[in-house]
Amino acid sequence: MKITVTADDFGFSPDTVEATIQLLETGGVRNTSIMAVVPETQAALDYAASHPEHCYGVHLTFTRDGPERPLSDPGRISKLVDDEGRFFEGRSAQLRAASRRFPVDQVAVEMEAQLGRVADHGITIDYVDSHKHLHKYPPVSAALAQVLPRFGISRVRRPQNVYPVARYKSPTYWLGRTMGRGWLCLLY
């Protein structure tokens, strides 16, 4: 079995950018996934563009913990955002995705915008994953199947299926068998 350690949230904050760069440069990690919708995204993109020797993914984001904002016009993705045009907070977004209240076409619009922002900087996108593991839910998984071929991306990092504590509280625990069938995702 091959274990790959990845640093997610590249671009989230100045501290996250600094720590991720340090890990990449010291060999602590080989991979990092870039968030395209946060304040320090440009710093992450600048580093990635000048360091193609590392493996980069896009940490697709359809939920917020703080500064995350969609790249698309909120009018085009109205079911993914609140009245202020911001992504829904974590648990609310997960419940909406799990109950299929995230339209696949709107997810695809925002997904293309995020992947496009990274690709437009000349960065090879080796894989995708998502903030709060939203890519494990059917609407996001269906959008991946539509959008990823357009970008030549064939790898999606699978969400965890390990539950160190309180596994019964995790949607993955309850829905894992259903969501695990027929996935286009590969363990990266």
Side-chain angles (χ1 to χ4, degrees):
M1 172 181 4
K2 179 181 175 185
I3 296 175
T4 301
V5 178
T6 300
D8 288 342
D9 298 353
F10 193 27
F12 187 82
S13 69
D15 291 341
T16 303
V17 171
E18 181 181 333
T20 302
I21 291 171
Q22 183 178 12
L23 285 167
L24 288 166
E25 291 183 353
T26 61
V29 298
R30 292 181 40 230
N31 304 335
T32 185
S33 55
I34 301 167
M35 291 182 88
V37 299
V38 290
E40 295 298 316
T41 297
Q42 192 59 52
L45 294 172
D46 291 345
Y47 179 85
S50 64
H51 291 85
E53 68 273 15
H54 300 298
C55 179
Y56 299 101
V58 174
H59 198 57
L60 297 166
T61 305
F62 307 100
T63 180
R64 78 168 194 266
D65 293 323
E68 304 90 339
R69 294 190 76 77
L71 297 179
S72 304
D73 173 357
R76 293 189 66 205
I77 58 168
S78 61
K79 300 290 185 187
L80 307 183
V81 297
D82 62 18
D83 292 340
E84 297 173 14
R86 298 184 66 210
F87 290 125
F88 293 103
E89 290 183 345
R91 190 53 136 182
S92 178
Q94 288 173 319
L95 291 172
R96 287 170 176 276
S99 63
R100 299 177 189 258
R101 289 184 287 158
F102 269 16
V104 174
D105 61 329
Q106 291 184 25
V107 173
V109 165
E110 180 61 20
M111 188 179 293
E112 282 193 28
Q114 291 180 31
L115 292 169
R117 181 170 187 196
V118 175
D120 287 349
H121 280 79
I123 299 163
T124 299
I125 301 170
D126 295 300
Y127 67 96
V128 298
D129 58 17
S130 65
H131 201 50
K132 303 292 184 190
H133 301 290
L134 258 63
H135 65 287
K136 67 186 171 186
Y137 298 106
V140 181
S141 185
L144 288 169
Q146 291 176 12
V147 174
L148 294 187
R150 296 182 208 154
F151 287 86
I153 301 168
S154 61
R155 291 186 233 166
V156 177
R157 201 180 81 204
R158 278 190 82 167
Q160 85 287 352
N161 286 321
V162 177
Y163 309 94
V165 293
R167 65 181 183 220
Y168 60 87
K169 292 183 178 179
S170 170
T172 305
Y173 174 74
W174 294 104
L175 301 173
R177 290 183 182 178
T178 303
M179 294 184 305
R181 293 190 191 120
W183 269 42
L184 69 111
C185 301
L186 300 173
L187 181 59
Y188 184 76

